Amino acid sequence: MRRPLGIPRPVLAAALLLAAPVVASTSPAYADPVNPAHHADRAVQETGERATYLVTLAPGADPERVMRETGVTEVRYVYRSAVRGFAADLDGRQLAALRAHPDVAAIERDGRAVGAPVEEGATGRW
């Protein structure tokens, strides 16, 4: 029996093994994972609860102006150096106004970040 394109079986097997993770990662089961922050955002918008968000603005945008235009009156912190933006407890109305504002680049729910464990005695040098 003749193999199409004359690809040796070991090469074909290796190609299929390498392609399997790519196919698995684009399947519907993995394409839309449950995002707890998304559900929390919906709760903030529907129930009037407040949650802490980090708002990143476009370069050169004035944080105070954006806060004034979107009804944000109390903030936890204003960022002006490496990035422009602010952290604030927002309600659903403020969240919607910020999402519609042209100077807002991103809005992320505040949360905890956990780093990878470091091996004892590691120096960080190669």
Side-chain angles (χ1 to χ4, degrees):
M1 180 174 204
R2 190 168 180 259
R3 287 189 297 271
L5 302 175
I7 301 173
R9 285 187 186 184
V11 173
L12 183 59
L16 290 174
L17 286 173
L18 291 173
V22 174
V23 172
S25 69
T26 58
S27 70
Y30 296 100
D32 189 23
V34 174
N35 182 353
H38 174 73
H39 297 293
D41 290 349
R42 182 173 290 156
V44 168
Q45 290 176 332
E46 294 174 357
T47 65
E49 294 177 27
R50 296 175 70 85
T52 305
Y53 289 87
L54 304 175
V55 180
T56 305
L57 303 177
D62 178 31
E64 282 81 11
R65 182 182 53 80
V66 172
M67 290 185 290
R68 194 172 43 252
E69 292 174 355
T70 56
V72 177
T73 56
E74 296 179 33
V75 296
R76 291 176 176 256
Y77 195 82
V78 177
Y79 305 99
R80 290 188 177 90
S81 298
V83 67
R84 289 196 168 277
F86 55 90
D89 293 335
L90 304 174
D91 61 26
R93 182 186 55 77
Q94 293 165 329
L95 192 57
L98 285 164
R99 286 194 172 128
H101 198 283
D103 286 340
V104 174
I107 303 172
E108 298 177 61
R109 181 89 183 250
D110 193 14
R112 292 185 183 263
V114 180
V118 178
E119 182 180 326
E120 188 176 329
T123 63
R125 292 180 285 181
W126 294 95

